[in-house]
Amino acid sequence: MASGNGGRARSDLLLWPQRFSTPLAVSRRDVPGKCPLRATLHKVNSGRVLVTQWAYYLHIAREERDETRRVMAADPQVLPASSITSIVMSALAVEAFINELAEAADMAQIGREGITSCALIQLQDLANILKEAEDSQGSVTLKYQVAYLVISGGTFPRGRSPFQEFKQLVTLRNLLVHLKPGDRHSSSGHVEPSQSLIREFQQKGYTRTPGRKTGDPLGGMSWLQEIQTVQMADWAYSSARSIIAAVGAVIPEDYPRTAGIEMLKRATQNITA
């Protein structure tokens, strides 16, 4: 594959063209012993092309994380902008993935007129429910929960990995993108983050300081500077990689095999750490 902007390799991109152009046809089929009788949509002649970009976004996040490592190894006191880029691109990658999965699932029926299988039915259910979530302006965390429910039969447990870190990543991304004052004075007179999420990162040792305590010199550091660390960039990238891999692991791959879904699934299981 050709390189993207700045010479970044784009070997992770998936291209799946489907060039057709008429409306939907509906038929009914039954798969004995496995799938109930139901309507199956057959998409023909749609003229759609799917080029996935989520892996490229995640590639940028990984590069910026590695850049943060190099910069801070040379000077531990520096505030690397690359750490913020890594966090934001990690969050953008998880959103891109679920949206592109919805499109790939919706295109899975193309060219399979008259064929019905549990996998195709499941993929169409996935496409339908994600389209409804998108039209209803559902959150990206909701999209992951409903997608996982459709293709695995259950939801991600709240408060546990990988969903907990993923949800925190989305929250942190929103704090960065919709920036508002996020600092306050503590009862001891120190500057501290007003967001509980940032204070949690401090307690875990991911930030530049563990927070100010009684007896420490007055002052402090704003939350935006607190998160400019290797640990935060690595946490964000790992959180994105883990949630994408978890969904990818349960994407159906039964007969008939579909090129776009198969390539997307394979890519989720080989993400560089």
Side-chain angles (χ1 to χ4, degrees):
M1 285 278 182
S3 295
N5 293 339
R8 293 186 174 96
R10 301 191 66 173
S11 58
D12 288 325
L13 293 186
L14 308 176
L15 176 62
W16 181 29
Q18 296 285 355
R19 303 182 183 279
F20 304 97
S21 54
T22 43
L24 300 175
V26 180
S27 69
R28 298 180 69 86
R29 293 288 187 274
D30 185 25
V31 179
K34 293 187 69 178
C35 301
L37 184 67
R38 58 183 296 174
T40 302
L41 295 180
H42 294 147
K43 295 177 171 58
V44 290
N45 298 339
S46 65
R48 296 155 71 183
V49 175
L50 175 63
V51 181
T52 67
Q53 307 286 359
W54 68 267
Y56 182 49
Y57 277 16
L58 200 57
H59 171 77
I60 295 172
R62 184 175 70 247
E63 280 199 337
E64 294 303 307
R65 178 204 62 182
D66 293 346
E67 175 64 13
T68 302
R69 286 176 176 169
R70 288 190 289 270
V71 168
M72 294 198 72
D75 183 359
Q77 301 306 312
V78 75
L79 293 170
S82 53
S83 59
I84 301 296
T85 305
S86 181
I87 292 169
V88 172
M89 293 307 298
S90 294
L92 293 182
V94 296
E95 185 166 6
F97 171 78
I98 202 68
N99 291 339
E100 291 171 351
L101 174 60
E103 182 71 2
D106 197 42
M107 294 173 68
Q109 302 267 354
I110 294 175
R112 290 168 176 79
E113 296 77 11
I115 298 174
T116 300
S117 74
C118 290
L120 288 179
I121 289 172
Q122 198 173 34
L123 289 171
Q124 192 59 61
D125 286 343
L126 176 62
N128 291 343
I129 199 166
L130 287 176
K131 181 65 165 62
E132 288 299 320
E134 177 69 19
D135 290 348
S136 302
Q137 298 183 325
S139 68
V140 65
T141 53
L142 173 64
K143 290 179 182 180
Y144 270 81
Q145 283 287 30
V146 297
Y148 199 73
L149 176 62
V150 168
I151 56 183
S152 77
T155 57
F156 286 108
R158 291 168 57 84
R160 291 169 53 186
S161 297
F163 189 78
Q164 176 66 11
E165 291 80 8
F166 157 59
K167 189 173 182 179
Q168 290 176 328
L169 176 61
V170 173
T171 300
L172 182 56
R173 176 261 184 198
N174 291 340
L175 291 176
L176 289 167
V177 174
H178 308 289
L179 191 65
K180 298 177 182 178
D183 301 300
R184 68 184 186 187
H185 273 97
S186 67
S187 58
S188 60
H190 298 99
V191 174
E192 68 176 11
S194 58
Q195 292 286 340
S196 61
L197 177 61
I198 309 301
R199 297 197 300 275
E200 184 177 336
F201 289 143
Q202 286 181 319
Q203 293 167 5
K204 291 180 177 179
Y206 296 167
T207 56
R208 300 192 73 89
T209 75
R212 302 283 176 149
K213 298 180 176 60
T214 302
D216 288 345
L218 294 179
M221 182 178 291
S222 176
W223 74 273
L224 186 61
Q225 282 70 54
E226 284 281 7
I227 65 172
Q228 293 184 50
T229 64
V230 173
Q231 292 89 339
M232 284 301 305
D234 192 49
W235 169 85
Y237 176 75
S238 296
S239 298
R241 182 168 57 91
S242 295
I243 195 70
I244 290 171
V247 173
V250 296
I251 291 174
E253 54 183 349
D254 297 334
Y255 173 84
R257 299 172 74 180
T258 57
I261 288 292
E262 187 174 342
M263 288 190 294
L264 191 146
K265 180 180 177 70
R266 189 185 307 124
T268 65
Q269 305 308 298
N270 295 284
I271 305 173
T272 304

